[in-house]
Structures are given as C-alpha cells and as structure tokens.
C-alpha cells in the first residue's frame, strides 16, 4: 500500500517512529497526483515546491525528536475558497483568477502551526454555489468512483482528492451541505462543525449566517484530529463562538450504549433512492445492534428547507458579492464608458451563470416591496426549522439520515435545470439553517458501485456525540476502507 | 407572492450591477419565475407570530444541556496596525500614487 493511501493518524505514528519521512510521504502523494489527477481534476493549483519545503521542515522536527503535533508533515489540500497567503485563491471564478491573498485564513494559520504540508488548492463550484462542482469556471472534477459522475459540491475537489488518495485530508466549506454531500458521493468522511465553532476569517464569504469550514478525511479519527486543529473562537470573526474546545479524540469511543438516535420520518419519502434508503436503514440497524436506542422522530418543516435556503443564501450572497466591482482585486473590464458601466461589464463578464442567478434571486428578495414577502418570510421559516431540531434534541442525542437523496449523478445530468440541482441539497440544508454540526460517513454502496453516506447530526456544539456515533459505526463496518477503482486499478484503462 | 416580469428582471439586474442581453433576460425571467414559484411554497406556513432568525447565535449563546455560556462578541476598541498599503494595492487592477484607480467620475472642466 502506498503511503498516500494511509490515514493521518497512522502516518503520524510512522513519522514519529521515523519509519518514513514527510518528504517521502509528500512525494508519494504527488506521484499519485501525476497518475490520477489528469482523470479526476480535483486541483486548481498545486504547490509542490512549497509542500516539499514544509515537509522538510517537519522532518527536521521529527529528526530532532521534537514533540510534533498530530498533523505535522501531513499532506493536506485546501478548497480554493480559503485564503492562502501568497498562493492564488480563485473561488473557481474568473473574477478572482489573479487574486493572491495577502494573508492566511485563520484555519490556515492554525494548520501551519501544526506543521502541515499544503498540497494545493481544490476545485469547487464558483463561490461555493452548486452541488456538483460543475459551476467551476475552470474545470469539471470527476468522481473517483465513476469518472462520468460528478463528485458532488460545492467542495467537490476536496472530496475527490481525499477519495483518490491525492491528499491525505482536505478542508472544505459547507453552507447548505457543501462538505457533507460531496463526502457522501465520494465515499469519504466529511464534517460541518457547529456554526461558530471554526473561524470564518479568510473564508471568502458566500452566505455569512450559514458558511462553516470543515474537514474531509479517510476516517473519523482523522476528522477529530483536524477539528482539534481548526476549532476555537477568533477575534477576527465576531461570529466565532467562545466556547470550550474539547479534545475531540476523546470522543473516539466504540460504544453507543445509552445514546438515543432519532430517525426523522420526513427524510424517508418516495423522493429518496430505494437503494440509499436500504443502506441507511442497514446502517441504523448496525448502530442499534451495538447498543444505541433508535426512535422515529418528526421534523415537520423539513420540506420547507430548500425554499428557505434559496432565499436566505442568495440574499446574503448578493450582498457579499457586491465587493467584486473591479476596483480592489480581480478581473476588470478594460473599456468601460464610465464607473457604473465598469461595474456592470466587469461583473457580467467574469461571474458565471449560477452566480448571476443567485445574485439576481437575492437582490430580488431584498428589493423594495419584496423583502417582507421573501426574505422576512424565509427568516421566519428558518425559525420553524430550527425549532423542529430544538424539540428533537430534547428527546434524542443524535439524528441519523441519508446525506444525499441519490448517489452521484452523471456529469451534465442536472445542469439544464437549476431547481433540480437545488433539490440535491434536500437532506443537508435543514441542519444548516439550525447551525448544527453534521458528519457524513460512508455506509455502503449502491449496485452500480457508487458510495452512500450516512448523515449524523447533533445539537449545537455537540460534536462529541456526533463523533462518538460516527466512530462506533466505523469501527463496526468496513465501508470506509473501500477504495475507488481509480485507486485499486492503479489508474484508468 | 408576485411573479417576475422581463421589466422586473431588468430592474433587479441594474440594482445588482449586472447586465444581460435580450436572450439572457428572457432566460433569467423564465428561470427565476420557476424558482420563485417553488419558493412560494413558504406561503403555506403560518408565520405571523414567528420571530425571524437572522443568526443562530444571537449575542449570547446558551448551550443545550450545559451551564456553559458563550461570551459576548464585543471586543475592546484598540487601534492595531493595518496591512501595508502596497500589500493592499497589490491585487488592484489599477493603482496609482497609493490609491485604487477607477474610471474618471469627476468632470475636470468644472
């Protein structure tokens, strides 16, 4: 087995025992990148030279016998929506094609304190708007399990590279499911922490009341390690919450006895793919067999989550994306008639269609005469959705659902119909409205061979319970150990 | 909830500082009408007595099932150094004499 196929916690032991060096490990990942990246296309930017420097530095620490952090020397990929000092950050948009951030996002500062090796920046839907990564202005990312299928989105690149072993772990961002859904579709672990758990400083803003950074990993243990590194309040983000950050590895307990798991009936409708329903029910039965109590619950406002989301997120986006005006950074139209014309031409030429569509929906929803009927109404619906969860967590510890109603769909299948694409997020947006922590863990495969994800949700700041259930599930199954054909066949025929 | 017209789309595009040709305008009118029609689903909800949620952690956060209380977000008003001017201007499409450059907005003849 190549080093690039291993988990961060296994690699850490090998690095510590000096069985391997971080440079060897980094070379192993780049060798896999050379092999499969032309087919997967998960990266927008590779930073090999920088990565080898960072690996060398980690090796010096290990050689000196220093007490090295858990992620020292671990090769990690970063979604191209997170600002990386000196390394181009495009948000997969033409409007930021040349943008080189003068500062690091707080999560990057924290990862660098750990001594990580940054591999590069991953592809995504432009400004994180999408569910398939097809809205990138640069390239289509392919699902390592089926190269004709999408990897999910918007963090499709970050999910695909972990699945294809072209990264050990990665960071993504989740606004309405953009970590959990691609994790499910690519057969990896992906977690959105509680809103406020992780600083958003340096995360290019899409919908500020929903956006949250989180990890993609090959198992739940690595997920806990990344959470340990990135969580915590930050003076640079007033929405980060100053609560105690536990050592999340303490939640890696293979025991769910005494825990109550709620199964919301609204998630199991005829819209749910029958094979996915079957795999998720099997997964729930596994948890029950090892001691969890399972109880059906109701989250009655679930069906309103998508409509609510497609008002709130575009409204916030329309305000956040007003900053792209061709003045301070990014693309500018070269031959405008005047200032206003420069704004219009710049934005119209450099934003992609989905971004324009959302700016239009959001601007409309906030415009005079419509604000109460749309934006205000959606904020009230958000309260109802959140209240459903508040009531449910009075009774249960964790909620289990499918992560996505379908397995990965084919490239091009849903691009013609935006509404159809929006409905891809039906299982993930409700928890986003309530700011809940949620994880997707691999829970099997449909007959065609595509992976299925189990979503586990917790009350705000109850990541520990979510991790404990996820870890127990993982310890009693082997879905997370399966590798996609692109890895097992050693490339593409 | 209202339906959206071609005129409405032109108005919203102007507010958003976007411009579309005739074909795009019709395309967006049709698509937004469909999306707004779906969103009209929210009218099924009785929300007169429901307070709006703009943010899930309003000022102070009480964590379910524990005594923990998150602190207020206000911080001391302390002057700190900003980024150096040349760093801030480095990404600008046009910069001159320490300022961002834009097309002329003032008529010099007056």
């Amino acid at each position: 087995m190549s080093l690039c196929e291993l988990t961060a916690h296994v690699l850490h032991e090998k690095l510590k025992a000096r069985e391997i060096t971080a440079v060897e490990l980094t070379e192993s990942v780049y060798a896999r990148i050379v092999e499969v990246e032309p087919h997967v296309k998960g990266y927008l930017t590779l930073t090999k030279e920088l990565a080898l420097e960072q690996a060398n530095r980690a090796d010096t620490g290990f050689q000196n016998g220093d007490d090295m952090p858990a992620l020292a020397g671990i090769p990690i990929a970063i979604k191209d929506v997170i600002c990386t000092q000196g390394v181009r950050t495009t948000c997969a948009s033409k409007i930021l094609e040349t943008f080189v951030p003068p500062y690091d996002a707080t999560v990057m500062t924290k990862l660098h304190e750990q001594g990580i090796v940054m591999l590069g920046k991953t592809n995504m839907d432009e400004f994180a708007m999408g569910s398939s990564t097809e809205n990138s202005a640069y390239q289509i990312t392919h699902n390592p399990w089926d190269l004709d299928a999408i990897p999910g989105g918007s963090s499709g690149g970050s999910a695909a590279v972990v699945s294809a072993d072209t990264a050990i772990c990665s960071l993504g961002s989740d606004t309405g499911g953009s970590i959990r859904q691609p994790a499910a579709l690519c057969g990896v672990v992906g977690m959105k922490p509680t809103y406020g758990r992780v600083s958003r400083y340096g995360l290019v803003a899409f919908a500020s009341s929903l956006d949250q950074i989180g990890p993609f990993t090959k198992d739940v243990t690595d997920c806990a390690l990344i959470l340990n590194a990135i969580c915590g309040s930050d003076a640079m983000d007033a929405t980060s919450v100053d609560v105690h950050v536990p050592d999340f590895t303490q939640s890696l307990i293979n025991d769910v006895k005494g825990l109550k798991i709620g199964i919301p009936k609204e998630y199991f409708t005829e819209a749910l793919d029958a094979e996915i329903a079957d795999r998720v029910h099997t997964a729930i039965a596994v948890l029950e067999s090892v001691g969890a109590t399972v109880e059906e619950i109701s989250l009655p406002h679930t069906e309103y989550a998508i409509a609510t989301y497609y008002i709130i997120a575009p409204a916030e986006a329309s305000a956040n994306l007003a900053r792209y005006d061709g003045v301070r950074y990014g693309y500018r139209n070269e031959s405008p008639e005047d200032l206003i014309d420069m704004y219009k031409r710049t934005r119209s030429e450099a934003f992609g269609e989905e971004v324009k569509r959302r700016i239009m929906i959001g601007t409309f929803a906030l415009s005079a005469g419509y604000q109460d009927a749309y934006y205000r109404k959606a904020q009230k619906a958000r309260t109802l959705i959140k209240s459903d969860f508040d009531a449910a967590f009075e009774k249960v510890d964790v909620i289990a659902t499918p992560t996505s109603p379908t397995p990965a769909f084919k490239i091009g299948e849903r691009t013609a119909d935006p509404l159809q694409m929006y409905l891809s997020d039906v299982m993930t947006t409700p928890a986003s409205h309530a700011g809940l922590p949620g994880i997707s863990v691999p829970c099997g495969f449909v007959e065609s061979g595509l992976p299925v994800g189990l979503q586990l949700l917790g009350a705000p700041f109850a990541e520990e319970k979510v991790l404990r259930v996820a870890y127990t599930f993982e310890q009693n199954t082997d879905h997370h150990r399966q590798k996609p054909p692109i890895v097992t066949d050693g490339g593409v025929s | 909830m209202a339906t959206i017209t071609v005129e409405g789309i032109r108005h919203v595009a102007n507010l958003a500082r976007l411009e579309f040709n005739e074909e795009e305008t019709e395309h967006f009118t049709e698509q937004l009408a469909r999306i707004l029609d779906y969103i009209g689903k929210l009218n099924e909800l009785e929300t007169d007595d429901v307070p709006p949620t703009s943010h899930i952690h309003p000022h102070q956060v009480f964590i379910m099932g524990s005594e923990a209380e998150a602190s207020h977000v206000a911080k001391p008003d302390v002057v700190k150094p900003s980024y150096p001017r040349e760093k801030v201007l480095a990404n600008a499409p046009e910069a001159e004499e320490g300022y961002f450059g834009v097309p002329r907005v003032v008529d010099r003849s007056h």
Side-chain angles (χ1 to χ4, degrees):
Chain A
M1 200 180 239
S2 301
L3 294 178
C4 64
E5 296 173 30
L6 302 174
T7 56
H9 60 96
V10 167
L11 289 164
H12 179 69
E13 294 308 319
K14 290 184 185 295
L15 287 164
K16 215 165 62 176
R18 301 189 38 203
E19 282 172 42
I20 61 166
T21 66
V23 168
E24 281 166 15
L25 169 58
T26 304
E27 294 284 9
S28 161
V29 176
Y30 277 103
R32 180 61 57 86
I33 288 173
V34 168
E35 233 175 277
V36 305
E37 176 61 11
H39 308 289
V40 175
K41 296 190 170 72
Y43 283 99
L44 289 174
T45 304
L46 286 165
T47 50
K48 187 173 179 183
E49 210 174 304
L50 190 65
L52 287 170
E53 275 172 39
Q54 291 165 344
N56 254 313
R57 225 172 300 149
D59 281 336
T60 306
F62 282 112
Q63 276 153 22
N64 292 344
D66 297 348
D67 188 15
M68 300 297 279
L71 297 176
I74 301 297
I76 297 179
I78 307 296
K79 186 180 184 181
D80 211 18
V81 70
I82 295 171
C83 285
T84 45
Q85 186 174 5
V87 176
R88 189 176 80 128
T89 299
T90 68
C91 296
S93 180
K94 286 283 174 203
I95 214 158
L96 287 177
E97 189 161 12
T98 58
F99 178 64
V100 178
Y103 63 93
D104 263 330
T106 296
V107 290
M108 293 314 301
T109 307
K110 284 172 175 268
L111 289 180
H112 287 316
E113 280 165 11
Q114 289 253 326
I116 67 145
V117 170
M118 186 179 93
L119 294 162
K121 306 295 293 287
T122 57
N123 196 26
M124 53 185 279
D125 286 300
E126 184 178 2
F127 286 106
M129 297 177 190
S131 310
S132 69
T133 311
E134 291 167 292
N135 295 331
S136 167
Y138 300 103
Q139 66 198 29
I140 301 276
T141 296
H142 301 256
N143 190 313
W145 293 88
D146 172 4
L147 294 174
D148 294 327
I150 56 100
S154 68
S155 312
S158 285
V161 297
V162 172
S163 168
D165 294 325
T166 47
I168 304 303
C169 320
S170 66
L171 286 188
S173 65
D174 190 314
T175 304
S178 285
I179 291 173
R180 291 161 285 157
Q181 185 256 20
L185 270 41
C186 288
V188 298
V189 174
M191 184 161 192
K192 179 193 97 73
T194 307
Y195 181 83
R197 242 321 171 197
V198 179
S199 170
R200 293 185 297 113
Y201 179 66
L203 170 67
V204 177
F206 159 20
S208 307
S209 78
L210 298 161
D211 297 342
Q212 193 66 183
I213 296 170
F216 289 92
T217 56
K218 299 184 211 282
D219 69 8
V220 176
T221 302
D222 280 8
C223 180
L225 292 176
I226 300 224
L227 290 188
N228 276 356
I230 65 173
C231 291
S233 71
D234 177 14
M236 300 302 277
D237 173 10
T239 64
S240 67
V241 179
D242 187 13
V243 289
H244 172 67
V245 180
D247 172 3
F248 291 107
T249 62
Q250 297 298 309
S251 308
L252 304 173
I253 302 164
N254 181 8
D255 180 16
V256 287
K257 280 184 214 75
L259 287 182
K260 267 193 193 168
I261 299 176
I263 314 299
K265 61 180 182 200
E266 289 82 3
Y267 285 65
F268 295 85
T269 62
E270 61 272 29
L272 178 64
D273 179 279
E275 285 187 87
I276 295 209
D278 175 73
R279 303 308 180 271
V280 170
H281 282 305
T282 305
I284 292 163
V286 168
L287 289 167
E288 202 169 12
S289 74
V290 294
T293 310
V294 172
E295 183 178 319
E296 186 182 89
I297 59 166
S298 175
L299 299 167
H301 297 95
T302 299
E303 63 172 305
Y304 300 101
I306 292 283
T308 304
Y309 181 82
Y310 281 95
I311 291 293
I312 288 175
E316 293 183 11
S318 71
N320 275 326
L321 272 64
R323 72 191 64 178
Y324 304 104
D325 56 6
V327 174
R328 287 157 299 169
Y329 30 64
Y331 175 83
R332 172 190 289 196
N333 172 277
E334 289 301 332
S335 51
E337 284 170 18
D338 54 31
L339 185 65
I340 300 292
D341 190 50
M342 184 199 81
Y343 296 153
K344 288 187 176 178
R345 290 193 194 195
T346 294
R347 291 162 63 79
S348 301
E349 287 167 9
F351 282 142
E353 184 174 327
E354 182 60 29
V355 171
K356 289 181 196 172
R357 188 156 37 237
R358 302 226 191 161
I359 291 174
M360 290 292 288
I361 297 169
T363 305
F364 173 76
L366 291 174
S367 65
Y370 296 104
Q371 199 168 13
D372 281 347
Y374 288 95
Y375 187 60
R376 197 82 172 157
K377 185 82 183 176
Q379 285 187 311
K380 289 177 165 204
R382 186 175 182 182
T383 304
L384 295 172
I385 294 164
K386 187 176 178 296
S387 305
D388 284 354
F389 282 110
D390 289 346
F393 285 119
E394 297 278 319
K395 291 191 291 185
V396 299
D397 297 292
V398 165
I399 293 172
T401 79
T403 309
S404 165
T406 64
F409 44 92
K410 297 288 182 193
I411 291 165
E413 195 179 308
R414 295 188 191 173
T415 42
D417 184 354
L419 194 54
Q420 181 70 17
M421 188 70 91
Y422 296 171
L423 292 169
S424 311
D425 303 332
V426 66
M427 310 269 160
T428 47
T429 47
S432 300
H433 289 306
L436 308 178
I439 197 168
S440 180
V441 291
C443 74
F445 298 84
V446 295
E447 209 137 293
S448 67
L450 289 167
V452 179
L454 170 71
Q455 177 176 240
L456 299 166
L457 304 171
F461 301 103
E463 280 86 356
E464 290 162 283
K465 278 185 189 172
V466 173
L467 287 169
R468 181 171 159 191
V469 175
Y471 182 77
T472 302
F473 179 72
E474 194 178 79
Q475 292 300 302
N476 289 282
T477 53
D478 69 348
H479 309 300
H480 65 289
R481 289 200 191 86
Q482 310 304 313
K483 295 284 184 186
I486 199 167
V487 170
T488 50
D489 300 351
V492 176
S493 48
Chain B
M1 291 187 183
T3 55
I4 193 145
T5 59
V6 168
E7 294 315 307
I9 288 288
R10 289 205 183 98
H11 170 66
V12 173
N14 182 51
L15 291 176
R17 296 291 185 248
L18 290 170
E19 60 185 6
F20 302 120
N21 63 30
E22 283 305 308
E23 197 186 323
E24 289 169 328
T25 305
E26 279 182 28
H27 179 64
F28 272 103
T29 308
E30 187 264 321
Q31 281 192 336
L32 261 64
R34 259 197 83 211
I35 293 165
L36 293 174
D37 181 55
Y38 176 78
I39 286 166
K41 191 177 173 57
L42 295 182
N43 283 336
E44 296 166 11
L45 294 171
E46 178 51 63
T47 55
D48 286 354
D49 301 323
V50 179
T53 296
S54 56
H55 202 282
I56 68 143
H57 304 310
H59 305 304
Q60 281 193 315
V61 183
F62 297 92
I63 294 152
M64 295 178 61
S66 87
E67 298 295 304
E69 185 185 315
S71 66
H72 215 270
V73 294
K75 59 184 176 186
D77 186 13
V78 181
V79 178
K80 287 183 194 159
S82 186
Y83 284 106
R85 190 175 278 229
E86 61 278 11
K87 265 194 153 186
V88 174
L89 291 172
N91 278 294
E94 188 187 342
E96 224 176 296
E97 297 172 31
Y99 294 93
F100 294 108
V102 294
R104 180 176 299 167
V105 286
V106 180
D107 187 346
R108 280 186 188 167
S109 65
H110 295 288

